[in-house]
Amino acid sequence: MDRRITKEELKIAVTEAYKQFKENNEGKNANYIPYLASVDSDLFGIAVCLPGGETITVGDCNYRFGIESISKVATALLVLKDYGPETIMDMIGADATGMPFNSVLAILLENEHPSTPLVNAGAISAVSMVRPVGNSRGKWESILNNINELCGCKVELIDELYKSESTSNHNNRAIAWLLKGYERIYDDPEISLDLYTRQCSLGVTAKELSIMAATIACGGYNPVTKRKVFPPLLTEKITSMIATVGMYEYTGDWMFKCGLPAKSGVGGGIMGVLPGIFGIAAFAPPIDKAGNSVKSQLALRYIMEQLRLNIFNGKRIVVVE
Ligand code: GLU
């Protein structure tokens, strides 16, 4: 049986979540990338994008912050589209490592068995597969066009963040070269590392992320631009990856608590996908030990619980006028 939620109820839940958690001061900005440490810790916004293209926004939804790990979702979709799910399973895989996003140990343990494109190792592999292989400028265009199509806008690099990440990404450089040793990188490791760093340094707003989430929720159809960005089958593929590893090593706890497939980034953004229902995003810089924004988690969980949206509850939810 369908359960109906009105847009008004949704708006009230989003506004209430904002009010309830606005003053929360747990967590700390990521500081291993200097730029992120300097972002205003009080910024907070929540955005929802519906299949009809309407958006509901509360708080700082037009502030451009570092997309970071959420860019992994976009590039995973790009290679899924270009190579097909079977090839991605062979060349990267779809298994959660259960370890931190930047784990070198996970690569050593799983050298025979590639893991998901949603952690650093798999993401650098995915970037290495982006076409045209060997052509850094052409690859960047592909990555950027794809993110623009998903978000329905022109996303821009935050230069200062890119510089900051490029001078502090030693761990990722180690990952790229280790992958090369295991033949899990399919282009030049330095080009792949640089493009990965660049895609993480793109600036997005919570509103734009909610549009990307809605595009995934709507089977690859961007509800704002009305353009088809990827084939419908990829929604279930990418959402399954998001659901198993999107909140780093806390993903199981997160899914157990609120049943929202979500991908977070250390810049403070979290993007949630409810297939067929809507896309949602929240942004607040202070993060927990795993890298998930504290306030964004509280807000998304509140909305999920208030409206009983958990994807495992067996109800088909429809948002109506
Ligand atoms: N650019 C960051 C890194 O590679 C992304 C981390 C994240 O958001 O999970 O460390």
Side-chain angles (χ1 to χ4, degrees):
M1 254 259 287
D2 288 356
R3 199 160 66 72
R4 286 161 187 272
I5 293 171
T6 64
K7 287 182 187 164
E8 193 50 30
E9 283 172 314
L10 185 55
K11 205 179 275 178
I12 291 170
V14 171
T15 310
E16 200 46 45
Y18 179 80
K19 281 195 207 144
Q20 284 226 8
F21 305 113
K22 185 162 174 33
E23 305 306 328
N24 180 294
N25 56 13
E26 292 162 86
K28 269 177 56 190
N29 286 29
N31 58 11
Y32 74 101
I33 299 169
Y35 173 90
L36 297 180
S38 70
V39 176
D40 179 356
S41 308
D42 291 329
L43 289 163
F44 182 31
I46 311 167
V48 178
C49 178
L50 293 161
E54 314 93 309
T55 51
I56 296 168
T57 56
V58 180
D60 303 306
C61 289
N62 292 321
Y63 179 86
R64 255 170 220 290
F65 57 93
I67 187 170
E68 296 297 344
S69 245
I70 305 169
S71 65
K72 292 169 179 158
V73 173
T75 301
L77 274 166
L78 179 59
V79 293
L80 277 163
K81 187 164 77 169
D82 279 358
Y83 292 78
E86 290 304 318
T87 307
I88 295 306
M89 278 296 284
D90 285 350
M91 293 176 78
I92 303 176
D95 245 352
T97 62
M99 288 186 204
F101 59 88
N102 53 2
S103 177
V104 169
L105 185 61
I107 305 170
L108 299 174
L109 291 175
E110 304 198 20
N111 61 68
E112 295 289 309
H113 177 74
S115 70
T116 169
L118 300 193
V119 297
N120 292 17
I124 297 171
S125 272
V127 166
S128 76
M129 292 172 72
V130 170
R131 291 172 174 148
V133 171
N135 174 345
S136 175
R137 185 183 292 207
K139 283 170 83 107
W140 179 239
E141 250 170 54
S142 309
I143 291 170
L144 203 54
N145 283 344
N146 180 55
I147 297 192
N148 287 344
E149 287 285 351
L150 286 164
C151 294
C153 65
K154 286 232 174 305
V155 171
E156 273 173 31
L157 195 71
I158 304 177
D159 275 320
E160 215 186 315
L161 175 55
Y162 173 53
K163 281 188 198 121
S164 185
E165 289 216 26
S166 299
T167 49
S168 56
N169 64 353
H170 317 299
N171 192 84
N172 289 338
R173 173 161 285 113
I175 289 176
W177 283 98
L178 198 53
L179 288 173
K180 170 85 176 155
Y182 289 126
E183 296 178 4
R184 283 174 48 193
I185 198 129
Y186 311 103
D187 200 341
D188 178 77
E190 289 295 328
I191 289 184
S192 310
L193 173 69
D194 176 54
L195 292 175
Y196 164 78
T197 309
R198 250 196 267 177
Q199 73 170 27
C200 287
S201 308
L202 286 168
V204 282
T205 67
K207 183 174 170 187
E208 290 161 4
L209 273 189
S210 77
I211 298 171
M212 181 188 326
T215 304
I216 299 173
C218 295
Y221 171 80
N222 185 320
V224 173
T225 61
K226 318 281 181 216
R227 286 164 68 92
K228 245 186 109 203
V229 184
F230 62 80
L233 169 78
L234 296 187
T235 284
E236 62 199 52
K237 300 299 175 207
I238 195 70
T239 310
S240 73
M241 286 174 169
I242 294 173
T244 46
V245 77
M247 301 292 280
Y248 309 118
E249 65 272 34
Y250 291 174
T251 307
D253 289 358
W254 169 258
M255 288 304 285
F256 182 80
K257 284 192 228 159
C258 71
L260 170 67
K263 180 74 200 91
S264 75
V266 294
I270 301 184
M271 173 182 86
V273 178
L274 283 174
I277 307 171
F278 59 62
I280 187 164
F283 161 65
I287 56 175
D288 64 18
K289 287 204 182 93
N292 302 308
S293 163
V294 176
K295 278 201 275 218
S296 300
Q297 286 181 84
L298 289 168
L300 295 182
R301 185 175 172 191
Y302 175 88
I303 296 163
M304 291 296 289
E305 285 176 351
Q306 280 299 303
L307 301 174
R308 291 182 290 128
L309 293 168
N310 190 312
I311 58 160
F312 300 117
N313 71 14
K315 298 269 185 273
R316 221 185 76 90
I317 288 133
V318 192
V319 182
V320 294
E321 281 305 323

